[in-house]
């Protein structure tokens, strides 16, 4: 029963229909969280779920739950899901594959009139990307009690628009209290967003864990002054100091091979005028590593460097710890269900650790959780050229169905 074939064409058609919403010139997607385009994608998903006979509920942080009833309504649902929001220059598969593969699994169960003991749900988590509003994984973070709802609702974007107001504006501030929603187990299908599966010629990644992350916000304060008459020796140039910090962050990333990652993704220079010596610079830091102790050593190295540099450079350097979650291991039973699903379906598979953060990392804190990866072309993601094949998407969906059914106990 756990190997009834999903409908490859229908899954691909849904992915391509969703990709039309927020389509960009280079073939990617831009559906920033809580924008009109995010609403359009959510509305389409909700309609598809209702067409598939699901009962749809929404919680107060905008997470969408579509439930296919089971024979025992009191049993906690087996949940599949991911996110529909994208990066500004995002792709057509990051997050979307996990949500629409969950929908395809439900459509397939309907086609074959499969009854399950436990209900089955597909969920779309709010703001997994953390681009417009930081940090990432907000919807699943509120759902699991990592973030406070009011704190998240008060967050503002670069235009000063509050999360809570935008959520209400698009009509997705639901009634359900976040977290007051049982989860029996959770499976998330996602593109790998790295090069390993493709290089190893494997179709399925059996995700055993996700690496830990530390995010910082650094503000460098120097002194604005005229680019002409201000002699070099007396300048307090915030951008020169910030550039040294960027170099050090990159050095720290290279210092713990092969897994450490270190990125400065955002930098705001003030006043950002070509003939004014920058008075202040804001920059973000993203550190990652599968071992918590190494992540701590990277943390210490960054802070020690900034302390030394502040003395030498006559500038003030504020380093704020913005976000942290430790490396997360998934549940053995779920990992085995994924591995067995790949084996039954005859797909080449390998164990893999996730370099990216996912909602599954937070859900793993409240329910048995597993993840499935499929390759993406050249391992490229968070880029408009992100690409995956219909065959790999279908393979991931097939394994997702298997793992979900194994936990929902298919009756007939
Ligand atoms: O940052 C991440 O790993 C994910 O894309 N939110
Ligand atoms: Mn994602
Ligand atoms: Mn992403």
């Amino acid at each position: 029963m756990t190997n009834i074939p999903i409908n490859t064409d229908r899954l691909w058609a849904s992915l391509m229909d969703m990709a039309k919403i927020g389509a960009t010139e280079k073939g990617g997607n831009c559906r920033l969280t809580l924008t009109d385009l995010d609403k359009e994608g959510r509305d389409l998903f909700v309609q598809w779920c209702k067409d598939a006979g699901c009962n749809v509920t929404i919680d107060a942080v905008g997470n969408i739950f579509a439930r296919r009833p089971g024979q025992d309504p009191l049993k906690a649902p087996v949940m599949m899901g991911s996110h529909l929001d994208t990066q500004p220059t995002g792709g057509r598969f990051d997050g979307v594959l996990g949500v629409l593969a969950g929908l395809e699994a439900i459509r397939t169960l309907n086609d074959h009139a499969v009854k399950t003991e436990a209900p089955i749900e597909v969920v779309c988590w709010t703001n997994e990307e953390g681009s417009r509003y930081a940090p990432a994984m907000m919807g699943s973070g509120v759902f699991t009690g990592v973030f406070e709802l009011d704190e998240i609702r008060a967050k503002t974007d670069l235009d000063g628009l509050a999360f809570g107001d935008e959520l209400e504006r698009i009509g997705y501030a639901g009634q359900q209290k976040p977290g007051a929603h049982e989860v029996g187990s959770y499976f998330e299908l996602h593109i790998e967003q790295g090069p390993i599966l493709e290089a190893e010629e494997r179709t399925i990644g059996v995700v055993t864990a996700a690496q830990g992350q530390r995010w910082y916000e650094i503000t460098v304060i120097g002194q604005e002054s005229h680019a002409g008459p201000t002699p070099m020796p007396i300048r307090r140039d915030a951008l020169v100091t910030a550039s040294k910090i960027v170099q050090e962050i990159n050095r720290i990333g290279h210092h713990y091979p092969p897994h450490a990652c270190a990125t400065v993704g955002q930098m705001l220079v003030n006043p950002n005028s070509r003939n004014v010596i920058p008075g202040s610079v804001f920059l973000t830091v993203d550190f990652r590593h599968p071992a918590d102790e190494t992540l701590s050593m990277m943390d210490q190295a960054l802070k020690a460097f900034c302390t030394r540099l502040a003395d030498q450079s006559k500038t003030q350097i504020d380093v704020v710890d913005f976000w942290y979650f430790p490396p997360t291991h998934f549940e053995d039973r779920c990992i085995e269900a994924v591995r067995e699903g790949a084996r039954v379906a005859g797909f080449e598979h390998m164990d893999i650790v996730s370099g990216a953060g996912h909602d599954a990392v937070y859900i793993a804190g409240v329910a048995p959780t597993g993840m499935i990866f499929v390759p993406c072309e050249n391992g490229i993601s968070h880029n408009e050229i992100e690409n995956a094949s219909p065959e790999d998407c279908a393979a991931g969906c097939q394994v997702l169905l298997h793992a979900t059914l194994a936990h929902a106990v298919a009756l007939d």
Side-chain angles (χ1 to χ4, degrees):
M1 180 48 67
T2 56
N3 214 18
I4 47 177
I6 62 106
N7 185 321
T8 302
D9 294 342
R10 181 172 56 194
L11 171 60
W12 188 255
S14 297
L15 285 165
M16 294 305 108
D17 284 345
M18 183 59 76
K20 289 173 189 151
I21 301 173
T24 63
E25 281 191 6
K26 294 182 193 166
N29 272 167
C30 177
R31 281 195 307 275
L32 288 180
T33 194
L34 309 188
T35 58
D36 291 342
L37 288 169
D38 182 26
K39 170 181 173 48
E40 210 181 315
R42 286 164 168 263
D43 290 350
L44 180 59
F45 171 62
V46 166
Q47 189 52 55
W48 280 343
C49 290
K50 288 179 176 170
D51 295 346
C54 293
N55 173 40
V56 176
T57 57
I58 297 164
D59 73 11
V61 71
N63 296 319
I64 302 168
F65 304 91
R67 172 176 287 213
R68 179 180 192 266
Q71 297 298 95
D72 180 352
L74 299 179
K75 250 186 174 295
V78 180
M79 204 183 259
M80 305 168 282
S82 194
H83 59 94
L84 290 175
D85 66 297
T86 73
Q87 288 286 336
T89 53
R92 299 173 294 166
F93 302 93
D94 176 355
V96 182
L97 175 59
V99 175
L100 299 187
L103 173 61
E104 173 53 34
I106 286 178
R107 285 167 166 169
T108 300
L109 293 175
N110 292 345
D111 291 347
H112 297 266
V114 172
K115 290 195 188 78
T116 56
E117 196 179 337
I120 288 188
E121 289 189 350
V122 55
V123 61
C124 166
W125 301 107
T126 296
N127 188 27
E128 189 282 338
E129 290 294 1
S131 176
R132 181 184 180 195
Y133 294 101
M137 297 140 59
M138 264 188 189
S140 53
V142 172
F143 182 84
T144 54
V146 173
F147 302 131
E148 284 298 318
L149 177 59
D150 291 344
E151 217 180 279
I152 294 299
R153 284 179 54 88
K155 293 257 183 195
T156 55
D157 66 5
L158 289 178
D159 299 323
L161 296 173
F163 181 102
D165 296 343
E166 286 292 276
L167 184 66
E168 276 154 26
R169 186 182 64 80
I170 67 166
Y172 277 90
Q175 296 307 312
Q176 199 178 103
K177 181 175 179 301
H181 188 115
E182 268 197 300
V183 185
S185 44
Y186 175 78
F187 291 96
E188 181 164 353
L189 168 61
H190 207 287
I191 51 171
E192 178 202 338
Q193 301 179 294
I196 297 169
L197 290 177
E198 195 176 51
E200 299 292 332
E201 296 181 348
R202 306 294 172 89
T203 305
I204 297 293
V206 181
V207 188
T208 56
Q211 56 184 357
Q213 292 189 23
R214 283 185 180 275
W215 280 14
Y216 306 84
E217 292 191 336
I218 296 181
T219 305
V220 180
I221 300 165
Q223 185 173 52
E224 285 166 47
S225 55
H226 198 301
T230 311
M232 294 303 283
I234 63 166
R235 292 180 175 208
R236 293 173 54 218
D237 186 327
L239 185 52
V240 170
T241 297
S243 309
K244 290 174 183 166
I245 295 172
V246 172
Q247 288 299 335
E248 174 63 7
I249 287 162
N250 190 52
R251 186 199 66 77
I252 292 171
H254 285 285
H255 189 67
Y256 296 98
H259 299 298
C261 294
T263 312
V264 174
Q266 200 175 30
M267 183 180 273
L268 304 173
V269 179
N270 194 296
N272 209 30
S273 168
R274 66 188 66 209
N275 52 359
V276 176
I277 298 165
S280 67
V281 172
F282 168 87
L283 59 119
T284 61
V285 185
D286 178 326
F287 276 168
R288 306 195 190 198
H289 199 279
D292 212 20
E293 49 284 353
T294 308
L295 207 50
S296 300
M297 288 193 281
M298 295 167 73
D299 173 82
Q300 288 150 28
L302 172 65
K303 289 172 180 169
F305 177 83
C306 288
T307 304
R308 286 196 307 276
L309 183 60
D311 294 343
Q312 296 156 7
S313 65
K314 303 192 296 290
T315 57
Q316 180 185 326
I317 304 173
D318 297 334
V319 180
V320 175
D321 293 293
F322 183 75
W323 186 38
Y324 161 69
F325 63 81
T328 304
H329 290 268
F330 294 126
E331 172 97 7
D332 288 344
R333 278 185 303 136
C334 296
I335 294 170
E336 188 44 40
V338 171
R339 196 175 286 126
E340 175 64 10
R343 204 180 291 132
V344 164
F347 298 125
E348 292 293 316
H349 56 279
M350 62 181 282
D351 287 7
I352 191 168
V353 172
S354 175
H358 300 286
D359 295 305
V361 166
Y362 279 157
I363 306 306
V366 299
T369 295
M371 282 198 82
I372 305 152
F373 275 175
V374 291
C376 55
E377 199 173 321
N378 301 321
I380 299 285
S381 182
H382 284 193
N383 183 315
E384 292 162 272
I385 65 168
E386 175 189 280
N387 195 28
S389 71
E391 296 71 30
D392 286 346
C393 290
C397 183
Q398 192 67 58
V399 174
L400 176 69
L401 175 59
H402 177 97
T404 302
L405 273 182
H407 276 237
V409 185
L411 297 172
D412 55 34

